[in-house]
Amino acid sequence: MARLVRFHQHGGPEVLHIEDVRLARPGPGDVQIRVKALGLNRAEALLRAGTYIETPTLPSGLGLEAAGLVEAVGEDVKDFAPGDSVSVIPPQSMIRWPAYGEFATYPAGLIVKHPPSLDWPTAAAVWMQYLTAYGALIDIAGLHSGDAVVITAASSSVGLAAIQIANRVGATAIAVTRTSAKRQALLDAGAAHVVASAEEDLAARMNEIAGPLGVRVVFDAIGGPIFEPLTAAMSRGGILIEYGGLSCEPTPFPLSVVLAKTLTLRGYLVHEITGNPARLAAAKSFILEGLETGALRPIIDRTFPFEQIVEAHRFLESNRQFGKIVVTV
């Protein structure tokens, strides 16, 4: 038996329960890990609430990120052995492969031996944020030295990862946050500039920062009315990559600006990277090298014990965090 987190109905954090579930042996090609830490993501809150891109059969588990020790391996697994320290690439489906529990089982292709310098909470905080940011900025947009990139929701774990990746390739990271409360923290985290969208004229500030060449890349998690000032400050031929939808307001399509500047507005899911072996291999190489050199450093806001998974989800939904929320098991 093993303790797993499951929910029997959709709703708020209180629907999460820790239950004893019979543990199955890993099948062919699978790796079972004894979980030491979990990384929490907004997608898990959406699945729990019934508003995610997947619809679970209830009761359901959840969770996308974990780190721990290999407990057992299935047939045909050659690269891992019991006792190895590993972390998990977020799977295509957290319903099929849930992370929240004392044990979790994944295909061997989703298991990574992370740098030994990482402790368990840090190892559990790596893959979703850096894969999401890498896929958008490097794989799709080809961000490079001299570029200016606008990063909205900049204090989120993905936003902070994007700032670090921009710095690593020599781009100028312009962090957008709602108020100035997190301005100094974002500057300390590596942002070259911080714009408080509720307190400043967003388009004017971005034009002031980027100059006449404009912003080539925008990495946005919000949508809504912010689209118009974002595109107004973009350069000709620029690309806006949308990976969220945090705004509850309609998102206008800035037709005249898109035509005049020949802009690309593109939706993006991290599954584009995790579902493509060649692209995933390139992403893993980039991220692991960055972790080893210290160019990439996960920022953890708060750590909760496994027994406080409900409290951890409440904090996740508060939008007060700066970086990643981690649960230790």
Side-chain angles (χ1 to χ4, degrees), residues 86-112:
V86 297
S87 48
V88 176
I89 299 290
Q92 297 282 310
S93 169
M94 67 172 127
I95 296 172
R96 183 175 178 184
W97 296 290
Y100 286 13
E102 294 177 320
F103 294 88
T105 301
Y106 294 91
L110 295 179
I111 302 296
V112 180

Side-chain angles (χ1 to χ4, degrees), residues 233-258:
M234 291 177 67
S235 64
R236 180 174 296 276
I239 180 170
L240 184 154
I241 299 174
E242 186 67 32
Y243 74 100
L246 297 177
S247 176
C248 296
E249 299 181 63
T251 301
F253 185 78
L255 178 62
S256 60
V257 176
V258 170

Side-chain angles (χ1 to χ4, degrees), residues 197-221:
S197 60
E199 301 172 4
E200 304 176 76
D201 184 319
L202 182 56
R205 281 286 287 124
M206 289 195 301
N207 283 324
E208 176 187 333
I209 293 166
L213 293 179
V215 174
R216 190 178 75 81
V217 180
V218 173
F219 185 43
D220 180 51

Side-chain angles (χ1 to χ4, degrees), residues 46-119:
L46 296 176
L47 182 76
R48 186 207 70 224
T51 56
Y52 190 51
I53 56 176
E54 287 189 282
T55 302
T57 299
L58 301 176
S60 176
L62 70 169
L64 287 163
E65 290 184 284
L69 295 169
V70 173
E71 179 75 8
V73 299
E75 295 179 16
D76 303 323
V77 174
K78 307 297 183 184
D79 297 329
F80 301 97
D84 286 345
S85 297
V86 297
S87 48
V88 176
I89 299 290
Q92 297 282 310
S93 169
M94 67 172 127
I95 296 172
R96 183 175 178 184
W97 296 290
Y100 286 13
E102 294 177 320
F103 294 88
T105 301
Y106 294 91
L110 295 179
I111 302 296
V112 180
K113 294 179 182 178
H114 54 255
S117 60
L118 302 186
D119 59 19

